Structures are given as structure tokens and as C-alpha cells.
Amino acid sequence: MDRKWVYLFTELEAAEASAGDWEAVRGLLGGKGANLAEMTRIQVPVSPGFTVTTEACIAYLGVEGEFPADIWEQQIEALQRIEATTEKEFGNPARPLLVSCRSGAKFSMPGMMDTILNLGLNDEVARGMVELTGDARFVYDAYRRLIQMFGTVVRGMHIEVFEQVIAAKRLAAGVSSDSDLDAEDWTALTQRFKDLVRTHTHAPFPQDPLEQLRAATEAVFESWNRKRAVDYRNASGIPHDIGTAVNIQTMVFGNMGETSGTGVVMSRNPSTGEPGLAGDFLVNAQGEDVVAGTRKTLDISAMAERFPEAYQQLCEIADKLELHYRNMQDLEFTIEHGTLWLLQTRNGKRTAQAEVRIAVDMVDEGLLGREEAVLRVSPEQVDFFLHPQFDEDARSEAQLIASGLNVSPGAAVGIVAFDADTAERWAREDGKAVIMVRPETRPDDVHGMLAAQGIITSRGGRTSHAALVARQFGKPAVVGVESLEIDLVDREARMGDITIREGTEISIDGMLGEVYLGALPTVVPDVQDSWLTQLLGWADEFRTLEVWANADYPDDARRARALGAQGIGLCRTEHMFFEEDRLPVMREMIMARNHLERDEALDKLLPLQRNDFEGLFRAMDGLPVVVRLLDPPLHEFLPDHQELLHELADLKLRLQHLATLQEIDDTLDEIRAKQDFLERTETLLETNPMLGTRGVRLGMLLPELTRMQTRALFQAATQCMREGVDVKVEVMIPLISHVNEFRQQRRLVETEAREVMDEEGQEVPYKIGTMIEIPRAALTADEIASTAEFFSFGTNDLTQTVFGISRDDAESGFLVHYMEHDVLPANPFATLDIPGVGKIMRMAVELGRGVRPDLMIGICGEHGGDPKSVEFCHEMGLDYVSCSPFRIPIARFAAAQAAVQEAGWRPMPAAPRDEFRREEAAAPVPTEEEAAVSH
Amino acid sequence: MDRKWVYLFTELEAAEASAGDWEAVRGLLGGKGANLAEMTRIQVPVSPGFTVTTEACIAYLGVEGEFPADIWEQQIEALQRIEATTEKEFGNPARPLLVSCRSGAKFSMPGMMDTILNLGLNDEVARGMVELTGDARFVYDAYRRLIQMFGTVVRGMHIEVFEQVIAAKRLAAGVSSDSDLDAEDWTALTQRFKDLVRTHTHAPFPQDPLEQLRAATEAVFESWNRKRAVDYRNASGIPHDIGTAVNIQTMVFGNMGETSGTGVVMSRNPSTGEPGLAGDFLVNAQGEDVVAGTRKTLDISAMAERFPEAYQQLCEIADKLELHYRNMQDLEFTIEHGTLWLLQTRNGKRTAQAEVRIAVDMVDEGLLGREEAVLRVSPEQVDFFLHPQFDEDARSEAQLIASGLNVSPGAAVGIVAFDADTAERWAREDGKAVIMVRPETRPDDVHGMLAAQGIITSRGGRTSHAALVARQFGKPAVVGVESLEIDLVDREARMGDITIREGTEISIDGMLGEVYLGALPTVVPDVQDSWLTQLLGWADEFRTLEVWANADYPDDARRARALGAQGIGLCRTEHMFFEEDRLPVMREMIMARNHLERDEALDKLLPLQRNDFEGLFRAMDGLPVVVRLLDPPLHEFLPDHQELLHELADLKLRLQHLATLQEIDDTLDEIRAKQDFLERTETLLETNPMLGTRGVRLGMLLPELTRMQTRALFQAATQCMREGVDVKVEVMIPLISHVNEFRQQRRLVETEAREVMDEEGQEVPYKIGTMIEIPRAALTADEIASTAEFFSFGTNDLTQTVFGISRDDAESGFLVHYMEHDVLPANPFATLDIPGVGKIMRMAVELGRGVRPDLMIGICGEHGGDPKSVEFCHEMGLDYVSCSPFRIPIARFAAAQAAVQEAGWRPMPAAPRDEFRREEAAAPVPTEEEAAVSH
């Protein structure tokens, strides 16, 4: 024998020896085969069977349909070993052995042949089994299932062919459910199915069990090259040359009477994470009965009464499997005549709350190390705690009417609108909450999507226009709802059996991809959740990257600090000027005709700014506060240009109808004032304001502005210091492109700061640094670092300039097209573009630290709160990330994960619902520490 | 003797030995001292003298006013050697030695003490000289000049003190000119001047000649630290620690009767470059009489008759000095009692035409190598041949009314306007040519400057607002016209004695910094000038960088080819669409509601584009043509948004006054059409169009556009090839930021090209490449080069994105402020910013050639025609620069200079008028080849 193509479930050691390591075993036996062998090894009751390797598949496909002889020989040999173990025989009506045949590649792959059950049944064996069991209904039901699966899966027949015949039989029998058909009916149907196979495929259903098995195995191999499978691999980046394994396993039956049963359980509560089995159970039933919901299931606790021993055994198995996989398990089991068999185990789906609690509990139980626990929970799951979610009790009561892809998380409630204009009208004019429901979306629909609370589409995948735009704007969305049909003539939508009219209230859960009828109440999960607090505490121990906040007001600062901020990385001073009581003074400053007028306006702004800064310093007592000098173009503070034009026209019109000279005089004054505003606005309007007179350029043209802001800052600092506040001021100059800009502003700030400190008799320790948000600043970071004490990457603007993309224009424009068509892997404004923007950031870090090794470097763009970007910031060796207060827990978590991974830990996937099958196959490599815990 | 502080003019070898090399001699003796010693060495008659070194100055300043004793001792010793040579004696009335004392640093420095003449005169010596010369008027005129210069320069008195006394004397004598004062007057004035010195400085004018000399020397040293000198050094980047030398030289007099005389000559004609002396001469006069224009000078040819021997000697000296300096010389000389003395030689100022002819002639004469000739002429001088200039004959007739700094070259004629609004009104409304005349300009004046033909200001320097904006927009300008006074009340300007009213016609020459009364006729210099052609021919031999042209139409292409273009580096296809007959079709394409309508419009555009391309290919037969696909945002092709709004309002108004239903129907149709335009325009409007949907992004959203352009291009190519034209097509994709954009468009182009070639049965060799004009493209140039066959740097957009500057907004805005205040050394849109933009370009070149060593790389931004940028492109190893046709000769020249310099040749400055004094001090290092020629 040249090569071992077939491994019994009991031969895991041989497979490991042959493959080399654990990962390679999954490659050799496929994910399912490896799992079955593993369960067998740890003595979980798995019905005997064997795996035909992926190598066999490759060999088979390589010789174009010629099944290499020794593969089949080894398969027969393995079958004989099973026969010996089970004391049954394949095709022997006296002690029949029935087997299932399942595909199982290294990665789970929809689109491949899945399962054929009951192989080994034929006319003779069926008769034998009726004698043995006395249950003809059970036997012929099983037999017709085999014929049906063989016909569809091996011979490629349409399932409808069989379903129509059953439907006709139900009609004839006058019953509405298959379960009401009796033994006679199934016997007749079995005969009819055999005829159907012969007629449709020009070949009889094979009575030879070995022929059945061989055909089934070959069908699995051939399904590897089926179009749907190839497409799936292309889309998922799975190689085409790794092949699939085939698993042949002894059948067990839960529907063999009152001593049999079946169930599906989680090893812990998937909603809350609470310990203890949770799940459903049925007596005298098959697995699909539990899943299909056609019979009312019992709570798993009922099993404890009906099958106390099996229940006890199941609990032990669940514990054992948790210990083995170090994760909550989702188990399928069958009891056949009182004997418990495990059919499957996999990591269980769970809510974010459950994920967090389970991770923490498992550390307490010694199943996981703290590092692993931190890696287990995804930053997105942490995000869950920060947004409203549907109340879980209400959800369990609610009517689930459809489900689809969970492309944009969050909970939304609203009335259904079938087009963008309606959505916008109802939302904007009637102030209603709307869910936009469309077959798919296009750029024309964006205004409706923006107005809506959430989006549902019947078509499209994760990178569809709807999905991209929804994520873009943070709208919960469910796409690819296949059951959804929209009838735009009658203005109604059908989802399965339900029909809803436009205007009906529904709820969507973008995290789970589910749609409910009616308005579900929402709750905000408790961020103070003790398990989350525990986990974040561990995260803080591991991470080296600090997490600061972007906060403009004292309230923001307090919130940020409560959420764990270690400093303010960005205080946008302009936000203070947009406040209602300040805007008029800001406008006076801008409209000033000379220095005197300008200084007067600045004098009025000074105490307001000082007051804001004092609040910030008090809130951040002891922590650094980075204050950015005024950044936006001045025209943003002036009235809208178009509006001014209209108002002016109105005033001139009014002039014609005035009676008194006084009125005319007043109106003329008003016209003159508006005219002034208009003219000033026009001189400030720019073709490309993003690249215009803003940032440091303002301070260069209006040094008095820089002086006022510096004065306010240092007056606030001295005042707070006298009160005993520990003030750490960092002055940040925005939009530097040339070191000379920085030098000039630095001198201005230093001079003014010195003056205030002398006046107040109080020294204030402070730093002056700059944003790096223009490519030229990054390219000449060495020059800039020679005079700047800190850098903060402004990655929003840096992404705009490095890409040459105006975010305002692109994100609802061509960028969506680019993501839909895979031109860009992700929206660079959401996740840092590492090959481009990241490259120039690395340059800046190296150049900057080259001349100033202790240069403090942070990031204050929105990327500071994006997990992947945070990871990159950690790798680059930044000192901190600064993000909006609500993203702080996520950033703390992402920073910890980056540090833990850098230390050599590998993440264990946390089983997000839709990724389940992929994740199932990618179980963790046990580290030494884990190994110590679990063995 | 520790150190040699003093060198006789005859001791050049000793100075060289001490200093080490030629350059160091200039550092030791100063520029003037080194020149005098050099002339002495080559036996040009220079009156004897010596130089006190810069080291002496440093030593003197170092000990804070204590003159190191041995410096003075060496000076006396040198004086004694001069006395021996001249057989005269310092302070001896019988055979008096008079000397001048002049400062002379390594670099010429305005703001330092300059000259004191006639040192050695005192009461006794004066009496002796009267006896010796019999010319009391001459002697006392000389004596009072000494006292006056001593008083002002050494003792810091105001010159007015002396001038008032002379003026009073003129009044008393009843004469109007100093030259009408007689011996008695000057004798009396001498006495009065001595009294003035004593009264104002509390110390008498020293009668001891040695004391005079010592005080003069110390005054020169001290002037090194005078504020004006320090400011000048700060501004020019001259180090503060190099000190100045002092030159002491025997006086000679041209005003000692009819056997004496003085003159200023050029060794060749400075206007035309024609060989032979050109200049002015006066008998019995001093040098300043020639320069001041108070006496009518004779042409130098007159000297041949009056002083045939001296004239012959002068011709020989001119030849000798030309041979020595290998440049046209500007000589000052004096004849004292028939003996010729050279006072000064320096490289002469000349016109661009003369510069070119002289360079070529000198090569023919064996004075220069071809490489040096190419280095001698600046690219700006080549530019001269490409623009209108004032007719030289007319200029010599014209009335020069003022002169100032030549900050922006070119000739302009227009009527004077004293403010920006007037300038704009006259220019825009009345269609008049205007010269804007202002004390200085500010940002508010820019609209007037743009409307004007040229600009004059009374204040400001080379980096003043006026100068910067003028250069920016190519407006001839003369600034810092000190004689200009503007009276805005009477609306008139005074320039010296002339008063001109607003509206008067004047002419300005921005190349020379001169202002003339009236309208001078202009001529376009002959670009076919045979000397220029010769020089450009040599340039082409030396350069390795190719010069291509940016040309959109066949006419442009032909012009470019005639000027030497070796290819079309950029054909902007959008320019074709802006043509009157195409714009409506382009609009149809943009307004299309579906693919069908769009394809229809594209079908109409196709033959028009094809036709344009055919013309280009024919014009460029045998040379490459790079065609860029459509680049600008689509809204640029639509009517102006504001205009549409107004038109729509008008139409709606009209509706109310219509009588017939037909009229109403028609108007409603019109309203609907406008409304459509408006809506489409609004969807296309972007906040930052520069960073919006343009370039490749258009081709990504509208692939049919790329296909149409490709089809037109390849149909044109196949057609031309059938006619026998050698077609070299290069398709250029603009605005790439991610390699995927390029890949996608490349596939589109290749597919369509293949189709056309198959249809036409004609293969077309072609390349597909990209612009590098977005930082991300440069940063990922390796990825892009793996699929792009050529790069072309679009440095206009690259500068915008690397700097984060919108050119439209900045160049008339903050960028001017930045240049005025030296925040930026130059306008980065005119000259490549090498530390920033250049750095990322270098990265792109290295990354690109790293994966594709034969990657063709060019530049097609405006920098392709800027000499400094061309030099950088050569250094980086680009293959070509592409510029507007008119810049081609300049680019050819700049490319040649870069290559010649790279080969180790150093440029010899070409003496632009205002830089003269700096340049004088920076004479060339003779290379081996030069040395071979000149010795």
C-alpha cells in the first residue's frame, strides 16, 4: 500500500503522524473529519466511521474521474473494521449497517455536496429492518429519504420532483403533514421514488450498498469542482487545490420510539453566558424535527427527567468538549434506544454579552488565560455595550419575519417605505422613523438611506451598495433577505408567508441580520457590566498603547475619562466658537475692517475660550490636554452664501413698499450690513476649501488669533493651577506643510505664553507640537521634529491628501462604487490604508524619532477608534490613539489585542453569527499555557 | 612676525601659498583685493597698492577695537614699499603720495563703508601740490573731498552738512554748478570743511597722513558690524565671521589737464555682442564725470585719435582681461599725464542677445569650451528670445523716467492707473492697456494687477507682494522705484523731475527695471538667431534628458516640433471637448439618462476625437504621443450653476406674460430642459472638485467613455499607419491612487484596442502608463509599475496634494503672503519643491524602477519648463520633461546645463543686471580645459 487514503475516526494519531501537525490534520481529514476523530479520541460517544482524505479527492480529480483503485480498497477495508466494531454488516438484512456520507473540506464551504443519509438500505435490507424493528413506517421513511437524497445529490435531480409526489400523496391521504402519512404511504412512496430515479436519470437506484457508497463518495469529490463551490472559493480566497474529505459514519436514529430522542444544546446560555446547558429536546424524533420547528420542542431540562442517565452523560460531555475546545459548544445529539450519540459539536453562536461573560468565566474556571480571553472578544462586541439593542425578552416574544445578512449592526425601528423619496418625505416632513425596504439600492437612493433609520434589501451581499452605504453612515441594515418580495404596484412586501403594507412598523437587528414585525423596545446594555469591566481591566494590563479622547467640551472630557481616557488628544477649539452666544462675536472678528476692530472682537472671545479651557483642565486634572488652534476655513462661521443672496433680494424688494423715511433708512442700513457680509463671504469662498485657507494658514494670516487662543489657554492654565489642578497643556498647530509655518507659530505661542505666565506669576509646563495631516509634513517630519515636541496624525485629512480624495464628495459618490466593485478593499476613511497612508505615517515616525527619539506620537483621526487601525498604530510604535469618547472601550480593547498578539498569542475567533462556518474550521492552536490549563 | 596681515598687489603668489587655493585667496584678500592683485600679476597697469586681509579685520574685531600692533606695522612697511616703487612719499609736500582706501569683502556687500579718496593730503601737502601742479583748483577740490569723505565715512557726519555749505557757496558765487566754482572757492570751502569736522566731531581733521590712514582702515573694519551690513548678511545668508579686507591704492588723476582723461568701456558691444570696444570717454575729467552724465561724453573711438598709444594699450588690455576672465569685461580707466591706469575690471552687463552671441563667439575664438558657453547663458536669457521686447533703437531714443528693481521680466505699455479698481475698470470695461502704479500692493490689489499689463511700485523688494504676484501671473513689473511719489489727491505721480497724470501712457521693461515715457514699440527677437541656434545645437549634444511638449492640437504639435520637441508628453483630450462644436455633444453625453442615450452621444464624439488624434499623429510622425484620457470633473462641461438659476427664474417670470397656449407650452418645455440641466449640475457639484470625481474616477464610473476614447485613438492610429505615418501611441490614465484603478482601466483599453486592431486588420504598437500625481500613487509606485509601462509626473496636482494646497485659492491668497514673509523659499507651483514633492518623486522613481528597470519616466506638469526643476529631473534620472511648446528651448538649455554640471563643469555667472555685485565676487574656477585654453 503506497499511501493511506482512509482513516478510521479512531486513527487520529496515525493521521497526525502522517500529516505532521494539528493544522495539517485538518488539511488531510477536513474540518469535520478531524473533529469527529478528536471527539472519538477524547471518548465522546461518536458513532463509528472513517474519513476518506482530501488527498484522495485530489488524486481522484487529478486522474479525471478515474477513482484510484486502492482508495476504494482502503474504504472497503475501513468499512469492514466498522462492521466488526458494530457487529453489523453493510447490506445484511439480518443485522444491517447504515451509514451517512458527508463532505468536509478544511474550510466549511457552502455550495459543495453536503450529506446523504441511510446508505446501505435497499429493498431486502428494508424488509429485514421492518422485521427487526417492527416499525415499517420508520424503515420506509428512511429508505425513501435515501432514494431522494441519492437522486438529488448524486444524480442531480430536482428536489421538486420528489416533493410533488409527496404532496400528491398527502392530498390523496387527506392529511396536511408528512408526519401523518403512515407506513403504507411511505412504502408506496419508496416504490414511486425508485421509479422516478430510473425515469429521470435513465439508471435504476442501485440496490448494491457498495455501489451506493462508491457513487456517494465520487459525488462528493466531484462537487469540489461544482460552479457554486468554485465561485465560493474565489470569493473567499480559498485555494482550489486542497480538495475535500468524505466522512462515512454509522447511522443512529432518534426516532426509534419512546426510548429514543434528539436535541440541540449549548453548553452555556447563548444570550447571557450563564453557565449550564441550554437548548431543546424531542422524544422519538430526528434532528431536523428540532431545527425545523414543526414540532413543539421541550426545554433541555425535560431530558433530565426522561433520560436522567443520558442527561448526566450529556452534561459531562459538554464539560469535556468545553475543556477540549476551550469555548462554548453547540452540540447535536441523538439517543437511540437509550444510548447517547454525539453527532456534532462546534463553537456556539452567542450574543456579545454572553461572549464577554463566557470569556471572563472561563478565565475564572481556568479554561482560558487572560490574554486569550481578551483575544476572544472582538472590539465590535465591545461596541455592542455602547449602543441601544433590542430587549432580549421582547425579542424572544417578537415575530421574526425574515432574516438575511447582518451587514451593518444596530437596532432600528420604523415604518416601511419602499422608495427613497417616500422615505425622505416621511422622515423629513412628517418626522417619522422609517425603514427603507428596497430590492437593492443605487446611488439615487442615498438620500432615502440617509433619512431612514435602517435599510433592508432583498438582493446583494456584504459589499453591495446598500451594505457599504449603511456601514458608512452607521445605519443598521439587513441585506440579501431572500424571502423578501416587494410589490411596488400594490405597495406591499411579502416575506415568506407574511405580507406587510407600506407604512407598517417593523424592527431590524443589524447585528443578527433579523427582521421583526412591530416595534421592539430597545435597551442600552450596561457598560458597567461587571464582566466587561473585568475584561477591560485585563485589556488595560496588556496594552502598551495609551487611549486618549477627542473631546471639545468639559462634559465630553468627563465622559471620556469615565470610559478610560488617559488624556485629551484633540480639543477642537472651533467647536467652542460655533456655540450660539459666540458665533456673532466670531463673525465680528471675521468682518473686522482693521486691527482695532479685530482686536475688539478677539477681546470678547478671550474670556469665553478661557472658561472652556478651565473646564477641560479641571475635568482632566493630572492628564494631558492637547488643544488644537483654530482649524476650519473662516467662511464656515459666516451665514450661507446662497441664503445671504436671497435675504438681500428680499430686503431690496421690501424697500419698494416702505412708507416712512425712517423705515427706508433702517432697511438701507440692513441692506448695507448684509451686503458687507456677502462681500466678505465671497472673498472667503474657495474652490477647494479643504485645501484652502485653514489650519495654520489662518494663524499665519491672523497672528492675533493665535495670540488670543494662547492667551486664553495660559490664563486658564494659571487659574486652574492656582486652584491646585494639575494642568498638562499641549498646544497643537494644525495643517503644517512646511517647518517654517511651525517655527513662526511656535514663536508666537511662546512669546504670548511667556507674557501671560509673567503677568500671572505662574509657570505652566507645556509642549508645542503639530498635526501630521499633510503629506509634505510627513515627508519632512525630520525637519519638523527638530522643533516640534509632539506629533499627532490627523489621518482624516492625511487620507484625503494621500489619496487625493475629498471625503465629502467621495463617500456618497465614487468611493461606494469602488468598494462595491472591489477596487478598494475597504473605505480608507474608516480603516487606515496601510500600504499608502500607513507607509507615509511610518516614514514620518522614523524621520521624526530619528531626530528626536522621545518624540511623543499619537493619532487623532477617526481611525483612532477603529480596531484594525489601532493595531497598526501599536505596530508602528505610537504612544497613543485618540478617539471619540464612545470608542474608547473599543480602542482599549483593540490596543490590548495588538499587544497580546505581538507577544505571540493567536486570536481564537469569537464566532460572529455569519462567519460561523469559517470559524468552526479555524479552531485555535493551544499555546503552552493553554495546554497546561486544559490537560 | 607671526602672521602676514598685509599683501602688496604684487604678492599674489604669497597670498595663494598662504591661503591654499584660488577661492581661499578671495576669502583672504576679498574680491576687490584679489582682482587688483590678479590684474597686477598679468601686467595690466594698476597703480601700486596693498591689501590688509580679512583675517586682520577678524583679529581687529575680536579684540574689540584694539588694533593688533603688528597689523599696523605691516601696513607701514607696505606703504614704504609703495613709496619706494612710486618714488613718492606719504605726507611729503615735495613728492606727495596720495592713496585711496576701500573696503572689499569676499562677497560684495552694500551697507559697508566703501571708499575714501585722496588720503595723504593735508594743509602742507596741498600747498606743495599746488606748487607742483600749478592747479590750485584741482588740489583744493581734491582736499575738500578727502575731508568730506573722512567726515562722513570715518566720523559718521551727515553728508548734508557739507552739501549745504557748498550750496551756500554756489549761491554766493552766483553759479549753478560745482564745476563753475574756482580755486579760491574750493580753498575757502576746504577751510570751512575742516571747521565743520572739528565742530561736529569734537576732534580736528587729522593733519598726520598716517593718522588719516589708520582711522580710515579702522572705519572699514568697524563698518563690518554696522547694522545695514549685518542686515544684508542676514538676508543674503553670508556668514558674519568672514570679515572684510581693506585696499590701499595709489591715487591717479584723470583731471590733470589735456594729457589726462578717463573712461568706461566694454570689451564688446553690450547690446548686440559685436566684437570691439564700446564705451564713453572724457578728456581732463574724473571717472564720476563719465558716470554722472554731467558732461557730454565722447565715444570711445575718439580716444583713438586723442591718445592713440593709450588706446592701443587699452585694446590690448581688454583682450588680455577677456582672455584672463574669459568673459566680456567692463573696464574703468584713467589716463594721468598720458599714462594709462586700470581702476577696475568686472564682467560686463549685457542683453540676452549679446550674451548668446558672445558665448558663441568666444567658443569660436577659443576662449571658451562649448560646455562653458552653454553654462554661461541662463535659461531665462533664452526665454528672452521667445517674448516681445522693446525695440533697441526706440529705447535709445526714449525718455527714461525712472528705474527700480527688475522683479518680473517682459515689456509692457499702458496708461497709468493709481488704484486697482481704476485699473480693472479701464482694462475690463474700456478695453485699455493699463500699467498699475502703486506705493505698494496688498491682497486687495490683486484684481487690478491681473487686469493690468504691468506693475510699478515705489516701495518693496524682490519678495514684496507686488513682485511675487507679478511673477506669479507673468506681468512685467518694476518695484522699489525710489524716485516715485504718488499723489492720490491730484491723481498724479512724480518721478524725479517728471510729473505724470493718471492716464498718461508709459512703457516698462521688467527685464531691466526701467520706466519710459510714452509707448515704445516692441519687437519679437528672432528665435532663429543664428547664434542661439548654434548654442541650442551644442546644448542638444550635451543633454541626456529628452524634451517633449504638452500639446493638445495638431497646430501645437507642429509648433512644438519646430522648437525641438522629441515627443508629445501630454495631450489633454478634454481640450478637444471644449471646442464650440463639441461641447453640446459632450453635454448630451453627461445628461444621458441611460446607456442608450449615452452611447448615442459618444458615437457622435468618436469621429471628432479620431480626427484630432489623426492630426496629432501626422504632426508627430515617428515621435511618441502620450494621450491622457479625460481628466476634468464633468460639471466643467455644463453651464454655470448660478447662471442656470438666473435663467430659470427669468423663464418662470416670462411664463406669466405669455398669451398663447403654444407659447406657454414651448416655455414650459424650455423650463423643463433647464431644470434637467440644473439638477444634473447639482448632482455633479462637489465641495472640493480638485479631489473629486475626475481623472481615472470618471473612467471607472463611465467605462464607455474610456472605450470611446480608446476606439478613437486606435482608429486614428490604424488610419495614419495605413497612410505610412510612423505612429507611437502611449495611453495615459490620469489620477491613479490605487493600482486596482489602473488595472481595471488597462483591461478596458486593451480590450477595446484589440477589437479595433482586429476590425482594421492593423496592429498598432502602444504602451499604457499612468500619471503620478497623487501621493498614494508615488508611495505605491512599485505596485503600479508592475502593470504600468510608463510614469509621467503630474507635478501640478502632486504639488497640490503633497502640500495640501489648492492652487486656485492659494496663488492669489495665502501663498503670496508666505512668499512675502519668506515662509516658503519659492512658489512650489513654479519651481519644484525638492525637499517635499521632490522627495516623494524620488521614492516613486526608485520604487518604480525597482520592479521595472526600463520604466520610462517623464514629467508633464508646468515644472517641466522650469530650469531648476528640469535640473532636478535630470538628477533623478527621468527620461524626459514635457512642457508647453514655448518653453521647449529653455528646457533644452536647462537639461544641457544639468548634464554639463553633472560632468563636473561649474557655471560661470552670466551677470544679470541686479546681481552684478554678488556675481563679480564669484568668478569661475578655471577647469583643466579652460586652463589649457587661457595659458
Side-chain angles (χ1 to χ4, degrees), chain B residues 653 855 865:
Chain B
L653 215 62
L855 185 71

Side-chain angles (χ1 to χ4, degrees), chain B residues 143-375:
Chain B
Y143 191 13
R144 70 91 193 176
R145 280 176 200 261
L146 167 62
I147 300 165
Q148 182 178 330
M149 284 188 268
F150 193 91
T152 53
V153 173
V154 178
R155 295 273 173 86
M157 291 170 67
H158 279 288
I159 183 72
E160 288 82 6
V161 172
F162 299 101
E163 282 176 347
Q164 277 173 1
V165 172
I166 300 180
K169 175 61 78 184
R170 278 202 306 268
L171 205 65
V175 301
S176 64
S177 160
D178 286 2
S179 57
D180 295 328
L181 293 175
D182 61 18
E184 206 172 312
D185 294 330
W186 289 121
T187 311
L189 279 170
T190 300
Q191 190 55 45
R192 183 85 186 92
F193 277 18
K194 283 191 290 185
D195 294 345
L196 283 172
V197 168
R198 184 192 310 271
T199 317
H200 279 85
T201 71
H202 310 294
F205 171 78
Q207 288 293 318
D208 176 359
L210 287 177
E211 198 183 324
Q212 291 172 9
L213 182 63
R214 184 162 179 160
T217 310
E218 290 183 9
V220 172
F221 287 159
E222 273 159 12
S223 73
W224 179 256
N225 283 336
R226 211 188 284 171
K227 184 168 181 313
R228 278 178 56 202
V230 173
D231 288 349
Y232 182 86
R233 290 199 297 273
N234 280 335
S236 320
I238 298 175
H240 293 295
D241 60 357
I242 59 174
T244 180
V246 183
N247 299 292
I248 311 296
Q249 186 174 15
T250 315
M251 290 294 304
V252 290
F253 296 95
N255 54 348
M256 292 185 78
E258 295 301 302
T259 60
S260 298
T262 191
V264 175
V265 290
M266 300 283 184
S267 56
R268 308 190 182 219
N269 185 307
S271 292
T272 62
E274 226 175 325
L277 291 191
D280 301 306
F281 174 69
L282 274 177
V283 178
N284 191 17
Q286 297 191 89
E288 65 194 69
D289 298 330
V290 179
V291 179
T294 46
R295 284 171 56 184
K296 182 155 168 45
T297 58
L298 306 169
D299 187 81
I300 192 66
S301 54
M303 180 180 166
E305 288 165 34
R306 282 294 291 265
F307 300 93
E309 271 176 48
Y311 182 77
Q312 184 56 34
Q313 194 188 353
L314 184 63
C315 289
E316 285 163 14
I317 288 169
D319 277 353
K320 185 185 253 185
L321 287 172
E322 272 204 345
L323 191 66
H324 185 71
Y325 290 107
R326 291 164 319 116
N327 207 332
M328 181 186 98
Q329 294 299 297
D330 174 348
L331 308 168
E332 289 178 30
F333 65 91
T334 288
I335 302 170
E336 188 189 64
H337 295 310
T339 306
L340 179 72
W341 297 102
L342 266 287
L343 301 180
Q344 173 152 282
T345 189
R346 53 186 179 187
N347 295 338
K349 306 172 212 174
R350 70 207 79 172
T351 63
Q353 278 159 306
E355 185 76 85
V356 168
R357 173 161 181 182
I358 290 169
V360 172
D361 282 352
M362 283 192 171
V363 171
D364 292 343
E365 294 162 21
L367 258 72
L368 286 183
R370 291 172 172 196
E371 288 86 351
E372 284 176 285
V374 166
L375 286 182

